[in-house]
Structures are given as C-alpha cells and as structure tokens.
Amino acid sequence: MSYNNVKVQPVKAQLPLYQLVMQRIVQWIGQGQLKAGQYLPNEWQLAEQFDVSQGTVRKGLNELVTWGLLQRYQGIGTCVTHKNWDWGDYPLMAMSKVLMGKSEALWPMAEILSIGVDTADAETARQLHINLAEAVWKIRIVWRHGCHLIALDEAYLPMRYFPDLNVRFLHQRSGLYAFILHEYGILLHTLQQYFWQQCCTEEQLCLLKTQQNILYLHWGKLSKGMDSIVYEWRRRCLNLGELSLQMNSIMPESHNEKN
Amino acid sequence: MSYNNVKVQPVKAQLPLYQLVMQRIVQWIGQGQLKAGQYLPNEWQLAEQFDVSQGTVRKGLNELVTWGLLQRYQGIGTCVTHKNWDWGDYPLMAMSKVLMGKSEALWPMAEILSIGVDTADAETARQLHINLAEAVWKIRIVWRHGCHLIALDEAYLPMRYFPDLNVRFLHQRSGLYAFILHEYGILLHTLQQYFWQQCCTEEQLCLLKTQQNILYLHWGKLSKGMDSIVYEWRRRCLNLGELSLQMNSIMPESHNEKN
DNA sequence: CAGTGGTCTAGACCACTCG
DNA sequence: GAGTGGTCTAGACCACTGG
C-alpha cells in the first residue's frame, strides 16, 4: 500500500497505523476471538490482513508487549499473556516463594461490591479532568486470593463517557476493562500510578475484614484510552500480608501451551 | 555501511548495533560529557558518528527513553533526564502535591554508611547467581530528603566482578552506578523488583532513627548489565511518611533548559 | 529444514517547534 | 522555512525454534 492510502484509517481521527494494529489485536482479545495463551498469526499474515507493512505490524505488536498484553518468542511466535487486566500490571507473589527463587505469579479474583452514581469531589474531578460535582460511576471491588482479602478498590469513571454503564455491566460477568473495550471500544491503559502509605478508613477496614490499626499500602492509578482521554481513576488499599507485589509486567512464561 | 561490516563491533561479543549506540550514549553520560538536561546531536549526526543507519540510532535512543535516561521531543530533540540513577526508576512526590495536581519529582540524597565485605547468605547467593558464602561487597546507604530519613539500602555486589571496588569507590563522590559504569564499563539496569510490607529490624529502625513498630514498605531490586549478568541485589526499607512513590519513569519535563 | 521473530538498511513523507 | 523526531515502506540477512 502507498503511504497515503487512507482506506484503513478510522473516520474520527488519523490514528497511526501501528496503533490501529494494536486496536485490532486488542479487540480480538476483548471479543474473545483471541484468548490467553493463544498464538497470533505471524507478522506477514497480519500485515496482509491489516494492509500495512510488516514493520508496522512489528511496531504495534512490540508496543503491546510493553503493555504486558503479548509475549514474543524468536523462532516461535507471538502469544497472549495471562495478565489480569482489571488488577493492573503488577502480579502478586508469595514472599516465601520469592525467597526460594520460585516465581509464580498470583492474580487475585475480583468481586464487585457495588456500582453507583456519585458526584466528583475535588480530587476525582482533577484526576479525571472533569468538572467538580460532575456525575461519575463509583465502582467498589474487593480482591481475594483464596480466603485472604487482599485489596479494596474504588474506581471512578465519568458518566459522560459511559452513560449506561451500570445496566449493561451488571448483565456481564467479564472484567471491567474487557467490558469497556467490548461495549464502548475503549482500550484502557495505565497512564500514571503511585504508591503511598496511610491508615485505612473505618469503612475500608470493615470491608477488608481487618481491624489492625497499621499503615496500609495504597495504590492510585489513572487509565487513559488510545485517544489520551483519562477514563478512569482508581484508588486501592492493599492488605498484602505475606504477599509481595512484583513490579515487572514482563515475566517470560513458557510457550508450551500452543493453541 | 554494509550489514556485515564488523569494524564497530566489540571484540568480546556480537552486541546488536543499537545496543552499542546505547552503550556509547550511556558512556557519555557516565563520563560527564553529557549531563542532565543537555541535548544530544540529532539522529543523523549520531548515525554518521557511530557509522550505523539512522533507524538504528533511533531504536537505541528509544530504548534509552524506556529506561528513563532520555527524553525526546518532536521538533526539538533528545535530552538527558534528571533521573537519579542510584535511587531507582521511581521518584518521590509529596502526597499534598499529588492531591493538588502538581507533580514535582523529589529525588532523595544518598549517604554511604559503610562498604564492607560479607559472605553471601542463601538469599543473596541465589539472587546474584553466585555460590553460597562467596565474597560480596555490602554497601549500606541512607536516603534523605531534607532532614527526613526516607530509606535504608543494603546493596550486595559480587567481589568477583568488582575486585577493588571499595578502594576506588571511596575516592569518588559520584553515585555507585555512575562509578561502576565509569570504572568497570558496566551499565546497570533494573532486571526485577518487587515490594512487600514487613517490620524493620532493630538495626534498621535505629539507622532510620525511628522506633515506630509499624509495617514498613520494602523494595527488592535486581540489576543486570547489558550482558544479562546480575551484578547487584539491593533491598531497601522505606519510611515514606507523607511522600508517595511515583511509578512512572517517564515524566515529561519542560525542554527549556537547552544547553 | 522451514518458519518465526530480531536486526539493519535506505529512503520517503508527516507533524511539530522554533526563529 | 529549516530542523527535529515520528511514521511508514520495502527489502535484506541473522538467530533461534521446532519437526
């Protein structure tokens, strides 16, 4: 194709071709056509399919590797990682395993506690770049690993972007990010995140079923779409216990479970 | 140059050309020829200087961007970030500033407490891939921001790679990583890192000049060279207080201080 | 051995910034 | 308008994997 061929460009904007490649791949994942562990067609096949050059496909795929969504093996192929999208980029590991040199990522399970409408307070409004008191969805999630309550999330999403999120989401059982990708076509990706330590509120302690008056680890996270709009602001308080948080999104897995 | 031209290849190994570009740039930084905030020559000039194609230079520079060492601005150029190498990839930010939407990275100051020889215990040996009881350098560092003691590091480096580290290092006043780059030609880069929470030892509490019996945040870090050898294992206990840890290495800075 | 991703080149145009 | 980095193409060879 020539450089100026516009036929694969979206109507709304002149998204770079390699980002289109990324979108398509992620759509496949979001729609279940491509599941964790499955292998993609090779670069040349994708290039032909998307009508771009093989180098452009490569750039898109490599970008998704840095996002932790794909893994590539020389001589083998490109497959989808087992990343738990809603939890974030950093898996948990048992400290005892870490000390013994065994690395076995643990991805906790989510349980939606509530979805409701709230008005943005000063912090939420600023983080989401919306007006003060503008309507937002507030979603509360607890994270478990076995019987251990690991974390409590409060996620805020502007209602203006997701007018009927609750009705539709309640009929789903997939994750929030997969749902948003599937229903709204918006791929969320971490823009910024930070950690700090502070005590939990009474409510948080209650939901985490703990009462220890200690400093908990807190985790703030902003997510943007490919259009650079901030769609989600999430704060999480963590009760790590004997677990550690692995800061490396890229953890080479075995490639034996070829589809 | 032709693809098989070997004259810029190192004797020891067939390092990819773009990694050679990275090494050169980092050497410039390590030797002080290139300081934080300074701008690099453009891609074409670098390509001519290193005798590689402009695309290869681009790949190397972009890789250093993901390492947090460089920043690139379209239409302007490529400059060196103000990253504090020894501290790690994640700067601190005052929580009050975070809540107000102002982002001002704080890089704490290091103070070397001690450099001594130790023998590798089970964990250190396994992390560094060396033999049990093999000789290692143990370096203790405290980190301050103003009068606040923020963190205490214990860094372990195998003596086999740095036979005379202490003698030479004690005459230096640059950072450890810059020193190692300059003296041994080894560029250290984070391989793996993780966080967990636990109480500090009495000794750690004493060195941090605190006695609170709380759960502190701990930070383990492994660093490798470009040859993929693990050269350093470091554990840090953090007393964050009112500070937060910013997990984004890429923080766009203004580009007004052009050299 | 065929097939995959990894590196490298050369050349083109686009988008942004600044004087 | 000149200069920078960003995107894109086409084509080549290398290095690794597996049957």
Side-chain angles (χ1 to χ4, degrees):
Chain A
M1 67 178 289
S2 80
Y3 181 76
N4 286 314
N5 189 340
V6 202
K7 70 181 169 192
V8 287
Q9 305 287 358
V11 180
K12 41 185 275 189
Q14 192 78 5
L15 207 63
L17 292 179
Y18 77 93
Q19 291 190 24
L20 266 180
V21 171
M22 294 169 65
Q23 267 193 350
R24 300 278 191 96
I25 303 293
V26 172
Q27 271 169 16
W28 287 352
I29 299 174
Q31 294 167 5
Q33 295 166 35
L34 208 48
K35 298 199 179 72
Q38 253 186 333
Y39 275 73
L40 276 68
N42 69 37
E43 294 177 347
W44 288 101
Q45 292 168 329
L46 290 173
E48 194 185 358
Q49 195 166 341
F50 297 149
D51 197 13
V52 298
S53 79
Q54 169 261 1
T56 301
V57 169
R58 173 181 298 270
K59 182 163 185 179
L61 295 184
N62 284 335
E63 183 70 19
L64 288 178
V65 169
T66 72
W67 285 25
L69 242 62
L70 299 180
Q71 278 167 303
R72 315 197 71 187
Y73 304 98
Q74 188 174 32
I76 299 175
T78 304
C79 69
V80 182
T81 59
H82 288 91
K83 157 178 177 137
N84 182 323
W85 218 330
D86 283 14
W87 169 257
D89 299 325
Y90 309 133
L92 296 165
M93 270 171 58
M95 271 311 281
S96 53
K97 295 289 178 75
V98 173
L99 296 177
M100 288 167 58
K102 296 174 186 169
S103 57
E104 198 178 328
L106 303 174
W107 295 103
M109 305 286 288
E111 181 188 332
I112 308 275
L113 285 186
S114 63
I115 304 182
V117 182
D118 205 346
T119 53
D121 59 17
E123 185 180 9
T124 307
R126 209 203 41 261
Q127 299 280 12
L128 291 173
H129 297 104
I130 60 176
N131 302 320
L132 193 66
E134 188 175 325
V136 291
W137 295 108
K138 177 179 181 177
I139 304 177
R140 270 202 292 211
I141 302 168
V142 284
W143 293 95
R144 301 168 187 280
H145 176 62
C147 57
H148 181 193
L149 289 174
I150 288 171
L152 177 65
D153 283 10
E154 287 166 3
Y156 299 92
L157 299 95
M159 271 188 81
R160 63 163 93 160
Y161 301 127
F162 312 100
D164 50 357
L165 181 136
N166 62 339
V167 188
R168 299 164 77 180
F169 186 54
L170 288 174
H171 291 86
Q172 286 272 139
R173 63 199 170 294
S174 65
L176 178 62
Y177 288 0
F179 168 78
I180 286 176
L181 174 64
H182 188 257
E183 297 291 314
Y184 297 92
I186 296 169
L187 168 59
L188 292 181
H189 180 235
T190 303
L191 169 65
Q192 193 185 357
Q193 52 191 337
Y194 50 89
F195 289 158
W196 72 97
Q197 286 194 289
Q198 71 175 45
C199 292
C200 287
T201 64
E202 285 293 334
E203 186 190 20
Q204 289 170 333
L205 288 176
C206 176
L207 288 168
L208 281 173
K209 291 183 180 148
T210 178
Q211 301 214 346
Q212 286 182 276
N213 187 22
I214 61 173
L215 287 178
Y216 286 88
L217 184 60
H218 290 246
W219 179 354
K221 191 158 83 85
L222 279 174
S223 298
K224 63 166 176 54
M226 296 195 73
D227 49 11
S228 294
I229 291 175
V230 177
Y231 286 106
E232 189 206 36
W233 152 238
R234 193 183 280 230
R235 49 189 305 161
R236 171 175 295 171
C237 76
L238 287 156
N239 187 18
L240 281 179
E242 300 301 318
L243 299 172
S244 69
L245 205 54
Q246 207 67 25
M247 306 311 290
N248 299 67
S249 48
I250 305 139
M251 304 267 290
E253 294 167 19
S254 66
H255 50 268
N256 301 331
E257 32 190 329
K258 190 147 180 169
N259 177 38
Chain B
M1 68 177 285
S2 80
Y3 180 76
N4 286 314
N5 189 338
V6 203
K7 69 182 168 188
V8 286
Q9 305 287 357
V11 180
K12 42 185 276 188
Q14 192 79 4
L15 207 63
L17 292 179
Y18 76 93
Q19 290 190 26
L20 267 180
V21 171
M22 293 169 65
Q23 266 193 352
R24 299 279 190 95
I25 303 293
V26 172
Q27 270 169 16
W28 286 352
I29 299 173
Q31 293 166 5
Q33 295 166 36
L34 208 48
K35 298 199 178 73
Q38 254 186 331
Y39 275 73
L40 277 67
N42 70 36
E43 294 177 347
W44 288 102
Q45 292 168 329
L46 290 172
E48 193 183 358
Q49 193 166 343
F50 297 150
D51 197 14
V52 298
S53 79
Q54 170 260 1
T56 301
V57 169
R58 173 182 298 270
K59 181 163 186 178
L61 295 184
N62 283 336
E63 183 69 20
L64 288 179
V65 169
T66 72
W67 285 25
L69 241 62
L70 299 180
Q71 279 167 301
R72 316 197 71 186
Y73 304 97
Q74 189 173 28
I76 300 176
T78 304
C79 71
V80 182
T81 60
H82 289 91
K83 156 177 179 139
N84 181 324
W85 218 330
D86 282 14
W87 169 257
D89 299 324
Y90 309 133
L92 296 165
M93 270 170 59
M95 272 309 283
S96 53
K97 295 290 179 75
V98 173
L99 296 177
M100 287 166 58
K102 297 176 186 168
S103 57
E104 197 178 328
L106 302 174
W107 295 103
M109 303 287 289
E111 181 188 332
I112 308 275
L113 285 186
S114 63
I115 304 181
V117 182
D118 204 345
T119 54
D121 60 17
E123 186 181 8
T124 307
R126 208 203 43 260
Q127 298 280 12
L128 291 172
H129 298 105
I130 60 177
N131 302 319
L132 193 65
E134 188 175 325
V136 292
W137 294 110
K138 178 178 181 178
I139 303 177
R140 270 201 292 210
I141 301 168
V142 284
W143 293 94
R144 302 169 186 279
H145 176 63
C147 58
H148 181 194
L149 290 173
I150 287 170
L152 178 65
D153 283 12
E154 288 166 2
Y156 299 91
L157 300 95
M159 270 189 80
R160 63 163 93 161
Y161 300 127
F162 311 99
D164 50 357
L165 181 135
N166 61 339
V167 189
R168 299 164 78 180
F169 187 53
L170 287 174
H171 290 86
Q172 286 270 139
R173 62 198 170 292
S174 66
L176 178 61
Y177 289 0
F179 168 78
I180 286 175
L181 174 64
H182 188 257
E183 296 291 314
Y184 297 93
I186 297 169
L187 168 59
L188 292 181
H189 180 235
T190 303
L191 169 64
Q192 194 185 356
Q193 53 191 337
Y194 49 91
F195 289 160
W196 72 97
Q197 284 194 291
Q198 71 176 44
C199 292
C200 287
T201 65
E202 285 293 333
E203 186 190 20
Q204 289 170 332
L205 287 177
C206 177
L207 288 168
L208 282 173
K209 291 185 179 142
T210 178
Q211 301 215 347
Q212 286 183 278
N213 187 23
I214 61 172
L215 287 178
Y216 286 89
L217 183 60
H218 290 246
W219 179 354
K221 190 159 84 84
L222 280 173
S223 297
K224 65 166 174 55
M226 295 194 74
D227 49 11
S228 294
I229 291 176
V230 177
Y231 286 106
E232 188 206 43
W233 152 238
R234 191 182 282 229
R235 50 189 305 162
R236 170 175 295 172
C237 76
L238 287 156
N239 187 19
L240 282 180
E242 300 301 318
L243 299 173
S244 69
L245 206 54
Q246 207 67 25
M247 306 311 291
N248 299 65
S249 47
I250 306 141
M251 303 268 290
E253 295 168 19
S254 66
H255 50 268
N256 302 330
E257 31 191 332
K258 190 146 182 172
N259 176 41

